Amino acid sequence: MTNALDLIDAAIADLESKLNLIPGASLPTTKGPGRGSEKKEPKREKKGNKNDGKKKEKGGGTGRQAKPKNVPANVNQPDICKLEFKVGQITKVWVHPDADKLYCEEIECGEEKPRQIASGLRPHYSLQEMEGRRLLVVSNLKTKKLAGFPSAGMVLCAAETKEDGTEKVEFVEPPEGAKLGEIITFEGLPPPEPFSGAQVEKKKVFQACVEGMKTTDDSCAAWNGHTFMTTAGPCKSSTIKNGAMR
């Protein structure tokens, strides 16, 4: 009589032959709908900034070019070339409210806005004589307060002592054809390379030049004999000859 177990073994063998399985091998398994069967969605790429991957430009990435480094001062040039003198014209003038000798002026020097300068000229010029006056401005001096008024430079004058002991003062004036803002050159000297205001103060450049600044026999402004020049001609005082300039 056939054993039940024999019948089961025969059924298994028949099934293995139909499925082309190796006798005694385990049946293949399929993964169910567990975690391993979940489809992974592709990661979405984050939208980057349009400028990602690009090097930022200097100046905060605004497209502005970085400021050039300061050019070293030319210390070997003559002292007078370290100063900057500009052709200017007074466009507004008023009496300083707290100083007996000072005028306050706005002077057009061909810059973005007029310079404000205080000058101790009240003993020498009336308010009317100051208005519209063409003159020279020492334009690379540090701004300093004179009786509380911030003065961005100084005006250049010639002076002499009269017989009675009083002082006569006159503006050093450019010729009529000189344009406002023109920078003064010096006859026989290289083009000026002006120092910064801080350098002028630290090196005491103006003080070093004062002794050599005098008017000539024909009232021309000069430094050690080198005439102050514009493209329209020399700068002069009205009448003062061989007078100190300051």
Side-chain angles (χ1 to χ4, degrees):
M1 186 171 179
T2 305
N3 190 311
L5 291 176
D6 292 336
L7 293 173
I8 293 172
D9 288 338
I12 292 174
D14 182 59
L15 182 62
E16 286 176 339
S17 64
K18 288 180 180 180
L19 296 176
N20 295 319
L21 296 176
I22 299 172
S26 59
L27 292 173
T29 59
T30 57
K31 292 184 179 179
R35 290 182 182 177
S37 64
E38 293 179 358
K39 292 183 180 180
K40 293 184 180 179
E41 294 184 5
K43 292 183 180 179
R44 294 181 180 179
E45 294 184 2
K46 293 182 180 180
K47 290 183 179 180
N49 190 295
K50 291 181 180 179
N51 292 326
D52 286 352
K54 294 181 181 180
K55 292 183 179 179
K56 289 185 178 180
E57 296 180 25
K58 292 182 179 180
T62 61
R64 291 178 298 178
Q65 293 182 349
K67 292 181 180 179
K69 294 181 180 179
N70 291 333
V71 178
N74 180 2
V75 296
N76 297 319
Q77 64 184 323
D79 284 337
I80 196 67
C81 295
K82 300 171 186 176
L83 295 175
E84 184 178 71
F85 299 85
K86 285 186 176 181
V87 175
Q89 184 172 25
I90 297 174
T91 56
K92 184 178 179 181
V93 58
W94 63 98
V95 171
H96 194 298
D98 301 318
D100 294 337
K101 295 183 178 181
L102 290 180
Y103 282 125
C104 301
E105 307 119 21
E106 286 188 359
I107 303 178
E108 177 60 56
C109 296
E111 300 167 338
E112 289 185 4
K113 59 182 181 180
R115 283 178 178 255
Q116 290 194 331
I117 293 178
S119 307
L121 295 173
R122 284 175 65 183
H124 309 288
Y125 287 96
S126 69
L127 200 62
Q128 291 72 27
E129 289 172 327
M130 293 285 289
E131 291 175 351
R133 179 74 65 164
R134 285 168 58 86
L135 40 68
L136 298 189
V137 172
V138 190
S139 55
N140 64 331
L141 303 179
K142 285 186 72 174
T143 298
K144 292 190 175 183
K145 287 189 176 181
L146 298 181
F149 182 82
S151 183
M154 64 174 285
V155 299
L156 189 64
C157 294
E160 67 178 0
T161 303
K162 297 190 290 186
E163 292 181 358
D164 61 3
T166 60
E167 190 176 49
K168 179 181 180 180
V169 174
E170 293 178 351
F171 284 113
V172 173
E173 301 178 22
E176 283 299 320
K179 294 182 179 180
L180 297 181
E182 181 175 346
I183 296 174
I184 303 304
T185 58
F186 307 96
E187 192 174 42
L189 296 180
E193 298 179 47
F195 278 18
S196 68
Q199 291 169 326
V200 168
E201 182 174 48
K202 182 179 180 180
K203 302 294 184 182
K204 296 181 169 33
V205 177
F206 189 82
Q207 294 88 327
C209 292
V210 165
E211 185 176 351
M213 291 197 303
K214 295 179 180 178
T215 56
T216 63
D217 291 338
D218 54 359
S219 300
C220 286
W223 177 79
N224 290 340
H226 300 280
T227 303
F228 284 48
M229 296 294 298
T230 71
T231 53
C235 303
K236 306 177 69 173
S237 68
S238 297
T239 63
I240 295 176
K241 305 177 189 296
N242 302 308
M245 290 162 49
R246 62 175 189 270

